Amino acid sequence: MLTTQQPVTVGQLARQLQAADRGELEIEIPAGAQLDLSTTPGASVDGDKLRFARLEDRNSVAALEVFAGLGDPPFDEQVVWAAAYDLWRCEIGNADMASGRFLAAVHPWVSVLRLATTRITRPADVFDALHLVEATLPYLEAVELPDVVALCDAEQPHTVNDLAGGAFYHALSRWFSSKPAAARDMVEMLLAQQCKTRGNLLGAAWMAWFASDPQASVSRLLDADIRFDLTELHEVTCWIAGRMLAEPTLSAELAPALEARILLRITNEDVVQRQAGLRAAGAVLHLRRTFDEALRARIAAGDQDAVGCLAQALSRNHGDLLQEGIFFEWLPLCVGLGDGFDWALDGLDYSLSQLLRPESAHVEPVIEFLEAWVRAHLGSTVGKREFADRFDACTQALRSHPPLLARVFTSWMLADGQATANAAAHMVSDIRSDGRMAIEFDRAVLDTATEADLLYVVRRMLGFLIEPKQMITLALSLLDLRNAKERVLPFLRWVLYEEIGYDYPGTTSDALKQRAAQEKDADVKEQLGSIAAQLEADMSALEALPRLRELKVPMALRRDLAKARAKAMQSSIRETQKQSVFAQLVTQVHIKAGETSFQHYGESWTEPMHFASHSVSFEMPRREVLDPVGNAYRRLQLRTTKRDLT
């Protein structure tokens, strides 16, 4: 709180207001204070409150107050940076920045660009430096272009593939847009001092120049692309040409020359230049048909880079492509995209997941594409999770719509080959087998299935799934099919008693008794009850047998195994925590171990809480314990089953 022992200034109140709340424009004046408003336009006194007309007025006064606190130049760079950071941390996200106004006022004596360049000494510093430069650029009338180049050279190694770098160059491009002469001079400087790592800066300046003078900037681009024989420069000029083609302000007479340069890159024998052309063509796929033939030719030739660029174009502009009616003309060409292009598959996965909503009219073609991708990449491979891992967004979209998931799961299990069944099994592997997330067979798909088809899908279920509750839920869902008593009851005992019940007798018996209590059909109820009773009788007979102490694992060996496992887990956790971002940001304080815990909030401590031991267990199939080799062979037979009645 400010006291009235010293004269209170408008700047002090503005600074206090800026530090307390990012949007407030009025603050209570301390009792007895006399304010001089003659040099602060936009400020007024209303009763006992100081009020600013605009956020800009408040920030200008706060910045001048901090600037006045620096004293006379020369200024200490460390003090300047600390003061700017102290302002900035209170206004992150504001439209107007007091920190930027302060650094702009200091700029004639201490260049903010040079100051930021010297501050970039480690990755953690680069983001603060770039944020403060972004905050300052709107208030700078002129900068030294070599200082801009030096800053970009310093930050580039730390922001490769980082969104912070993109945001910085976007802010730089906006500044250059208001200074077209500076943008043109920057382009010429970079063309004279070519460097591979300055492509982002060259693009930002060139596009800013293009905004003010399209004719001159395009002509210079074409001239540089033809005259300079450097692959690195051709990558940048091709990328810039693609960005120019995406601008609605580009005149029709300038477009053919830019398109010709991109087409030349697409057909180039050099891999780097061809990739640059493909990326540029993909970026305007939703706007221009000029590159369609060239893209299709590269894809037909097996160029995975072309497929990757196509997938990226579909994911980034799927709305426009859908509106144009050509999204599903291109989507089947992405079936061949596989290893090495996770970045493209991730984007495509997200876009397709948006089309798997119940209200979408594009569900069927998306499902067809996913099935085609599974068949192309999984083949007969068993045990992999490529589909569930790489198309996790689509998998989650299917899980959020149980009827659609049931249809896809049933169709893929019923289809020929192991690829679709393997993908279907892993789609549901993490789904809870109780409650609303239970997976069931789709009645519409199996109502018209033959008895051979029903046996086929049940055997594949037994071969690919391992969760007992899922298998029981799926098996019992067959009782809801048309004519279930004639079509399902004949093999139901085999499924529930000889297969699932043999491996998981307790779980199966409990589930059957629960379903029997809800069943209205007398025959079905009697069948389920008899299976449950037989399973319980079998388990009672086994429990009555004497236990051989000779086969029991010695307690000392079990204790040693548990200690070794706990030690290995703790070591793994420690190594993982060292690599976490959280561990790098916070200070770790090691406290003596014990049986209780407590927490500290502000100045108070919570009551101690006593730790309680807990354990996690899961059910192992009986055949896996008794005969793992034989069980593996049995599951292989079930996965490779054929459609027959035996």
Side-chain angles (χ1 to χ4, degrees), residues 158-451:
H158 303 300
T159 60
V160 176
N161 298 326
D162 195 292
L163 292 177
F168 167 68
Y169 286 105
H170 182 66
L172 202 57
S173 183
R174 286 201 308 269
W175 186 86
F176 275 125
S177 296
S178 62
K179 311 289 188 298
R184 183 189 64 246
D185 293 343
M186 177 59 76
V187 169
E188 297 298 341
M189 176 185 294
L190 294 176
L191 289 177
Q193 305 173 5
Q194 295 174 21
C195 179
K196 183 178 180 181
T197 60
R198 297 172 181 170
N200 289 329
L201 177 58
L202 181 60
W206 219 319
M207 290 307 297
W209 182 20
F210 171 81
S212 62
D213 192 350
Q215 181 70 49
S217 59
V218 170
S219 298
R220 187 68 179 98
L221 179 73
L222 297 174
D223 177 68
D225 191 65
I226 295 172
R227 288 178 53 193
F228 293 98
D229 190 22
L230 291 175
T231 301
E232 293 83 1
L233 181 62
H234 288 162
E235 287 185 73
V236 178
T237 55
C238 187
W239 164 56
I240 297 173
R243 291 188 60 187
M244 290 178 174
L245 288 172
E247 291 294 325
T249 57
L250 180 69
S251 60
E253 60 270 15
L254 295 177
L258 294 172
E259 293 172 345
R261 304 311 300 175
I262 295 177
L263 285 170
L264 185 64
R265 298 288 178 268
I266 294 176
T267 57
N268 199 296
E269 293 298 324
D270 183 76
V271 175
V272 176
Q273 294 199 30
R274 186 168 65 247
Q275 289 175 342
L278 291 171
R279 287 193 296 269
V284 294
L285 183 68
H286 60 298
L287 300 174
R288 300 178 180 274
R289 307 275 71 80
T290 312
F291 310 109
D292 290 6
E293 184 178 349
L295 283 174
R296 291 182 183 275
R298 294 307 311 171
I299 294 173
D303 191 336
Q304 283 283 285
D305 291 321
V307 185
C309 291
L310 173 60
Q312 191 173 41
L314 293 180
S315 61
R316 289 182 175 178
N317 305 295
H318 71 273
D320 294 330
L321 292 169
L322 284 170
Q323 188 174 359
E324 293 291 328
I326 59 175
F327 182 88
F328 290 104
E329 293 180 13
W330 288 104
L331 182 61
L333 299 180
C334 296
V335 168
L337 195 62
D339 294 334
F341 291 87
D342 291 347
W343 52 272
L345 282 173
D346 288 343
L348 188 61
D349 172 37
Y350 176 77
S351 296
L352 294 180
S353 69
Q354 303 303 300
L355 303 180
L356 286 175
R357 296 173 178 174
E359 66 276 8
S360 173
H362 309 293
V363 172
E364 295 305 323
V366 172
I367 295 299
E368 291 176 6
F369 167 78
L370 295 176
E371 182 175 353
W373 188 91
V374 166
R375 292 186 181 278
H377 293 276
L378 295 188
S380 60
T381 304
V382 177
K384 291 188 177 181
R385 297 192 58 171
E386 279 88 345
F387 178 78
D389 287 342
R390 295 189 179 184
F391 289 91
D392 56 327
C394 286
T395 301
Q396 188 58 41
L398 291 172
R399 290 177 179 177
S400 63
H401 185 39
L404 179 59
L405 175 63
R407 178 163 66 85
V408 173
F409 176 82
T410 306
S411 300
W412 287 14
M413 277 289 177
L414 196 58
D416 293 328
Q418 297 186 48
T420 55
N422 182 47
H426 287 112
M427 267 199 306
V428 303
S429 62
D430 297 329
I431 294 181
R432 298 192 307 271
S433 53
D434 53 355
R436 292 180 297 174
M437 290 295 290
I439 177 65
E440 297 180 348
F441 284 120
D442 184 75
R443 178 174 178 176
V445 175
L446 295 183
D447 265 348
T448 57
T450 64
E451 185 178 347

Side-chain angles (χ1 to χ4, degrees), residues 118-182:
T118 59
R119 297 292 300 183
I120 300 176
T121 57
R122 59 192 181 100
D125 295 329
V126 68
F127 301 105
D128 293 342
L130 295 185
H131 286 317
L132 284 171
V133 172
E134 290 175 39
T136 310
L137 282 173
Y139 312 106
L140 292 178
E141 288 300 321
V143 297
E144 295 292 332
L145 297 185
D147 292 348
V148 178
V149 176
L151 174 61
C152 293
D153 288 345
E155 64 80 26
Q156 195 274 339
H158 303 300
T159 60
V160 176
N161 298 326
D162 195 292
L163 292 177
F168 167 68
Y169 286 105
H170 182 66
L172 202 57
S173 183
R174 286 201 308 269
W175 186 86
F176 275 125
S177 296
S178 62
K179 311 289 188 298

